C-alpha cells in the first residue's frame, strides 16, 4: 500500500493506459469486424461440391448462340449467383427473349440448380427501345424465373 501511495501518479498512468488499450481494441473490433474472414462468411459452404466448370459455361454460351436472335453472351459467377448477360438482335420480342432463360439452366446439374441463384439480363443491340433490358431471376429453391415488370413502348 505504501508503494502505491508513493507512486500514485505512475499507477494512475498505468491504469489509464490499460483502459485506453481495452477501449481501443473494442472500437477496432466494432469498426473492422472481418479480420480476414471471407467476404461471404459461411454462405458458400458446400460450393466445392457443386463447383461449375468452365466447360459448363462454354456449353451454356454455345446453346444460347445457336439461336439466331442471340449476338453475345457473357457469364459471371459471384458467390452463389450466376449472372448471364445476353445481347439479342434489335428485332427480338419480349416473349422470344424470355424463352432464352430456361435454356440457360439446361447445362447445369440438379445439384448446381439447387445451390446457385441465376440472373439473366437480356439487352438489345439497339438501346433505343424502351422495352429492354429485362432481368429474369431464379432463386435456387424455385423452378421458374421471375421477370422485371414489362415496359410498355410509347
Amino acid at each position: 500500500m505504501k508503494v502505491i501511495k508513493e507512486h500514485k501518479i505512475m499507477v494512475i498512468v498505468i491504469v489509464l493506459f490499460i483502459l485506453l488499450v481495452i477501449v481501443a481494441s473494442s472500437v477496432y473490433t466494432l469498426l473492422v469486424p472481418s479480420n480476414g474472414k471471407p467476404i461471404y462468411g459461411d454462405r458458400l459452404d458446400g460450393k466445392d461440391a457443386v463447383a461449375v466448370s468452365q466447360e459448363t459455361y462454354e456449353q451454356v454460351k454455345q446453346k444460347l448462340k445457336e439461336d439466331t436472335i442471340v449476338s453475345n453472351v457473357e457469364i459471371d459467377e459471384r458467390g452463389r449467383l450466376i449472372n448471364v448477360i445476353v445481347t439479342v438482335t434489335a428485332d427480338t420480342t419480349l416473349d422470344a427473349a424470355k424463352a432464352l432463360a430456361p435454356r440457360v439452366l439446361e447445362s447445369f446439374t440438379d445439384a448446381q440448380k439447387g445451390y446457385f441463384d441465376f440472373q439473366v439480363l437480356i439487352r438489345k443491340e439497339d438501346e433505343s427501345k424502351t422495352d429492354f433490358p429485362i432481368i429474369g431471376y431464379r432463386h435456387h429453391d424455385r423452378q421458374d424465373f421471375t421477370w422485371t415488370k414489362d415496359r410498355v413502348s410509347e
Side-chain angles (χ1 to χ4, degrees), residues 55-124:
E55 292 84 31
T56 303
Y57 290 137
E58 291 302 321
Q59 286 177 357
V60 171
K61 288 180 182 180
Q62 290 304 319
K63 282 188 180 191
L64 290 174
K65 286 183 180 180
E66 288 174 359
D67 200 324
T68 57
I69 64 171
V70 176
S71 62
N72 189 28
V73 179
E74 301 171 32
I75 300 177
D76 179 38
E77 181 181 321
R78 303 268 177 170
R80 291 183 76 156
L81 179 64
I82 296 176
N83 293 305
V84 180
I85 302 169
V86 181
T87 305
V88 294
T89 58
D91 59 343
T92 304
T93 64
L94 279 173
D95 292 332
K98 287 181 181 181
L100 294 172
R103 295 181 62 192
V104 168
L105 301 175
E106 292 174 359
S107 298
F108 294 97
T109 65
D110 289 338
Q112 291 168 336
K113 292 177 198 175
Y115 183 83
F116 289 100
D117 294 347
F118 292 86
Q119 183 169 277
V120 179
L121 169 71
I122 302 177
R123 60 184 180 193
K124 280 190 177 182

Side-chain angles (χ1 to χ4, degrees), residues 17 25 38 41 43 61 70 95 107 143-144 150 154:
F17 179 74
S25 66
R43 291 177 283 177
K61 288 180 182 180
V70 176
D95 292 332
S107 298
Q143 294 297 321
D144 297 324
D150 290 337
E154 294 179 9

